[in-house]
Amino acid sequence: MKKQWWHGRTAMQIYPKSFYDANGDGTGDLRGIIEKLDYIKSIGVDIIWISPIYRSPFVDQGYDISDYYQIDPGFGTMEDMEELLREAKKRDMYILMDLVVNHCSSEHALFKKALADPEGEYGQYFYFRKGKGNGQPPCNWRAYFGGSVWEKVPGQDDLWYLHLFAKEQPDLNWENPALRRRVYDMIRWWLEKGLAGFRIDAIINIKKDLSFRDYPADRDDGMCSVHNMLKHASGIGDFLLEMRHETFDRYNALAIAEAFDIKDGELPLFVGDDGYFSSIFDFSTEGLCKSRRGYFASGLPSVTEVRDTLYKSQAEMGDHGFFCNIIENHDEPRGASRYLPVSGQNDAGKKLLGLLMHMRRGMPFLYQGQEIGMMNYPFRNIDEIEDIGTLNEYRVALAAGLSEDEALAAVSLFSRDNARTPVQWSDDPQAGFTTADTPWFPVNPNYREINVRAQEKDPDSVLNFYRSLGALRKDPAYAETIVYGTFEPVLQEYSDLYAFFRRSAGKQLLVLGNMSEKEVTVPVPAESGDPHKDLKVVLNNLKHLEIQKNRITLAPWQGVILDVT
Ligand code: GLC
């Protein structure tokens, strides 16, 4: 694997609507990001991915773009964006935008033209198909946000357009070379402006199974999941390699894919020196205990299941490429609420999660607020939910026979809105996120206990621990091992214990994490070499560590990095 400019860095996702509101209108904005650049840098983060800031009707929070060349006025202006790029550069920081090109918004000028003349030139930019007759759409695929993937073209008898997500997000027809050229032009236009690259949205969906055939229904609605179609669609690599050569390669840009549903054995095609992308997110634990029937039928995985899944994905990637490692993002609940058992949802547990994320091979990719240990939102009422996806899941739960309270409880656990609450900057009103009386989304009521200002003052805070993790990745004594070292699990018979080596030439680190409420004593693994040598503690999320003759006792939720060279 060739070394790349971004490998040794740390990244963070910003969800701009909820990050920081500089102009006091209740919604986060670009100037808010500019104001907080020094804070972000202080966590050791130098790459920032900003969720969509393009002009949008916000049916899916900006993932429905009506103009790819404009900043949405809710976030500011193009001048603000240019200033952000300049200010980032001054600090040796890099900005990535979200590349949402599986679909656009139904308000996009191209789609409006297409609707007006589906048979004409612009109709070719989308998928229009005749139905089966009798008011039946062309096939029985269910959209990710519920209902059919087909929506009737207004004013037409039996003509439909395809949308794998909401009906306001019509799918772009990648089979049309003119569409692909437009997409590449747009990507280059932004890279010319000084972007360092993109996070690439829902990209696996750009290749359709063009037979548009039915698959067996998997719910009472008679429809089937889009995943069936993705299994049968082949040839995505041609599009992705073309995109890479036409755009990212020319700028040495960082292209990170959100790619679910990669077929078995195809990971090596997606990443690595000749892969379609620079990197992809490791979503291996995201689907654990998730049911295709919906949130209501899903549960939370055990500590051991999560651990073993992460070990497996590390092994699959090996030295071939580089993952982006996450515990949460804007589509997921908060990592501390999801991956820590309730008894571990405390500072030690949160630091341990952060430590394990930073010490896996790949680039640590934080999500805003993770560094202070923000938690899920305590939803009391379905009216508090904004997210189109969660509202659909609520309907699915009710249809399955759950009561309103049960349905709310089920969707609260997984709702994307958990991570979309405003960042908790202080214990001032509205958590210091805005000076407006009402932020666009309520702040989590725990902001008085969990906020940046309080944690800045506390040397033992979660925030300051994340700073230590960020600094360690760049420490010349450890960087090579942490960034490029091998990942080798040991002591797997201890079910709630993470134990792995990171090894590079002449250096080895042993990472131990006790993901349980019980103390655990483990032998120092023989792989550490000379049993009599001193074990040097590089980082510890608690004050002490008990080491007795070749045995180490870890307190509940304790995580340590030991230099066992
Ligand atoms: C991706 C985004 C998600 C969005 C969807 C459709 O999964 O992360 O937020 O709803 O794509 O664009």
Side-chain angles (χ1 to χ4, degrees), residues 180-194:
R180 300 205 299 277
R181 270 198 302 277
R182 271 181 187 259
V183 170
Y184 306 153
D185 282 349
M186 183 271 291
I187 295 174
R188 285 191 297 258
W189 188 85
W190 279 106
L191 291 173
E192 276 300 319
K193 264 197 180 300

Side-chain angles (χ1 to χ4, degrees), residues 143-309:
Y144 289 109
F145 296 145
S148 169
V149 296
W150 296 100
E151 179 71 12
K152 245 189 181 161
V153 176
Q156 297 259 357
D157 256 3
D158 190 26
L159 192 64
W160 307 67
Y161 70 84
L162 182 74
H163 61 89
L164 298 189
F165 291 87
K167 68 177 186 327
E168 295 86 354
Q169 295 168 300
D171 278 55
L172 292 164
N173 178 7
W174 275 70
E175 307 292 333
N176 177 358
L179 177 276
R180 300 205 299 277
R181 270 198 302 277
R182 271 181 187 259
V183 170
Y184 306 153
D185 282 349
M186 183 271 291
I187 295 174
R188 285 191 297 258
W189 188 85
W190 279 106
L191 291 173
E192 276 300 319
K193 264 197 180 300
L195 276 192
F198 291 92
R199 172 269 188 183
I200 304 167
D201 186 72
I203 196 67
I204 209 85
N205 298 284
I206 63 171
K207 185 73 195 185
K208 321 296 191 224
D209 167 9
L210 295 172
S211 70
F212 294 113
R213 64 188 128 153
D214 285 352
Y215 298 102
D218 52 26
R219 289 186 194 168
D220 292 345
D221 59 11
M223 291 187 259
C224 72
S225 145
V226 172
H227 299 282
N228 292 290
M229 176 283 274
L230 293 175
K231 264 191 228 131
H232 289 87
S234 59
I236 193 170
D238 296 341
F239 295 158
L240 297 179
L241 280 180
E242 183 184 77
M243 173 159 71
R244 174 184 161 160
H245 294 139
E246 293 288 323
T247 61
F248 312 132
D249 270 2
R250 301 187 184 181
Y251 294 82
N252 198 15
L254 173 56
I256 306 173
E258 181 206 31
F260 290 97
D261 295 276
I262 292 179
K263 297 188 177 100
D264 285 348
E266 289 197 359
L267 179 66
L269 298 174
F270 279 71
V271 283
D273 295 343
D274 303 317
Y276 309 146
F277 301 104
S278 321
S279 178
I280 63 170
F281 290 100
D282 181 2
F283 286 127
S284 58
T285 62
E286 190 274 344
L288 283 176
C289 301
K290 274 265 190 79
S291 164
R292 284 272 156 91
R293 291 192 296 142
Y295 285 177
F296 80 92
S298 303
L300 294 179
S302 70
V303 165
T304 318
E305 280 170 311
V306 172
R307 181 198 70 175
D308 291 350
T309 303

Side-chain angles (χ1 to χ4, degrees), residues 66-78:
S66 55
D67 189 338
Y68 289 82
Y69 292 91
Q70 300 279 334
I71 299 294
D72 193 87
F75 293 126
T77 62
M78 192 60 80

